[in-house]
Amino acid sequence: MHTTVGIIGGGPAGLLLSRLLHRAGVDCVVLESRDRAYVEQRQRAGILEQSTVDALREAGAAERLDTEGLVHDGVELRWDGRAHRIDFPSLTGGRRVWVYAQTEVVKDLIALRLADGAALHFGAEVRSVEGADTERPTVHYAQDGRNRTLTCDYVVGCDGSHGVARAAVPEGVRRTYERVYPYSWLGIMADVAPSCDELIYAHSPRGFALHSMRSPEVSRMYLQVPNGTDPADWPDERIWDELDARFALDDWTLERGPITSRSVLPMRSSVTEPMRFGRVFLAGDAAHIVPPTGAKGLNLAVADVVVLGRALIRQHETGASDLLDTYSDTCLRRVWRAEHFSYFMTTALHTDPSQSPFDTRLQIAQLDRIAASPHAAAELAMNYAGLPLP
């Protein structure tokens, strides 16, 4: 089997790229190792930047988003017994964010691809990519107990940090920069209406806490915990008590309800360069990981495939390869900006187990500055709501 663009990974990045290419008449095949039910239930991010929403709308994939997504015009910071709201539209020229779970984005994109009758193969486990530096790279995969091959003009790896596409970039060319943080997140889903209208990011001597939501009836919350934490060591009452303590403000109450899931998420940052070798391109988590504090993971993946989609379409329509040649550099500039913002949000709000009282006072000073300085608040707002796509 041969195709113009072989896409490894049926998550939001691979599916959106396939949608963009299909609408432009560029043939592509999507290979996803998991079954459809697993992919549509895989819990991930829930915050969409303005540029991500714009991209989904342009792709004709925002019908449910526009009716069910929750528009947020800001976030609230809490520290030292105080609260301060960051108003996005007034600081960014009208940009905002949406709460709409990644699972829903994936469902929407799968439904569109199947309705288009386009090639989307579930249960297709990619084993290797060969010939990245040739004119016809080959993807080797297994499906239904049989070994298969897919030859392509171009291969795009959207298969995450543990996927095989990255290995197509030789070790002598590939370089990975990484930071592992000395704490994790204990994340919960609870069947209780959110206790807030917008997300709350709380700095506390007891550790960081985040109050988010998935819908008007479902809350999503996180607690900073030590690396290696077992979720079973955190019964419901302990979780709610700890959230109460970290969010504590006068005249504010945290509503409690049944916790339906809990898991521990390690925190790390990683960037692999370059994001292209020969005719193999990396996008999303296959090239970069950010801690979730800045809500950048899904949004960076979307930015990658929008840039790459334009480049592949330009090459298809005109034969020009200039945008393909600059893909890696173009994306990496945005990636490193997002990495820095995510690092800033993480280190400003979390309590490092080794930090001194001096370090804590620096964190408080930084948060005070955001509350007092329109320029500092605007920088946070612009990065959080998302920089415009190039």
Side-chain angles (χ1 to χ4, degrees), residues 244-371:
D244 252 332
R246 297 188 191 187
F247 288 127
L249 275 184
D250 293 338
D251 302 322
W252 187 84
T253 301
L254 176 66
E255 299 297 333
R256 302 186 178 204
I259 294 176
T260 57
S261 68
R262 73 199 72 204
S263 60
V264 171
L265 173 67
M267 305 280 283
R268 68 186 181 102
S269 302
S270 177
V271 180
T272 294
E273 300 181 357
M275 292 173 61
R276 176 204 182 171
F277 178 74
R279 292 195 171 213
V280 174
F281 299 81
L282 304 179
D285 288 0
H288 41 75
I289 298 289
V290 290
T293 328
K296 289 286 157 274
L298 169 61
N299 296 294
L300 274 181
V302 168
D304 289 348
V305 298
V306 168
V307 172
L308 183 54
R310 291 172 181 166
L312 289 166
I313 292 167
R314 176 175 170 83
Q315 196 284 330
H316 175 75
E317 293 178 345
T318 70
S321 64
D322 53 331
L323 296 184
L324 289 174
D325 295 337
T326 58
Y327 165 75
S328 182
D329 289 341
T330 299
C331 289
L332 283 170
R333 283 192 292 271
R334 187 184 190 91
V335 166
W336 279 111
R337 175 63 254 163
E339 289 282 358
H340 182 268
F341 175 68
S342 298
Y343 167 82
F344 162 75
M345 290 287 286
T346 301
T347 56
L349 291 164
H350 289 72
T351 302
D352 191 309
S354 65
Q355 79 181 44
S356 68
F358 182 86
D359 298 325
T360 302
R361 292 301 300 162
L362 288 179
Q363 290 177 314
I364 298 299
Q366 179 63 68
L367 293 167
D368 287 344
R369 177 174 178 267
I370 293 170

Side-chain angles (χ1 to χ4, degrees), residues 181-223:
Y181 294 87
Y183 34 71
S184 300
W185 276 10
L186 171 63
I188 67 163
M189 296 279 277
D191 285 339
V192 60
S195 303
C196 52
D197 295 325
E198 296 171 333
L199 275 66
I200 302 172
Y201 287 78
H203 174 280
S204 162
R206 305 173 68 99
F208 169 78
L210 170 61
H211 192 319
S212 183
M213 64 277 297
R214 281 295 179 267
S215 74
E217 298 82 27
V218 177
S219 294
R220 178 73 159 154
M221 283 174 269
Y222 300 92
L223 285 168

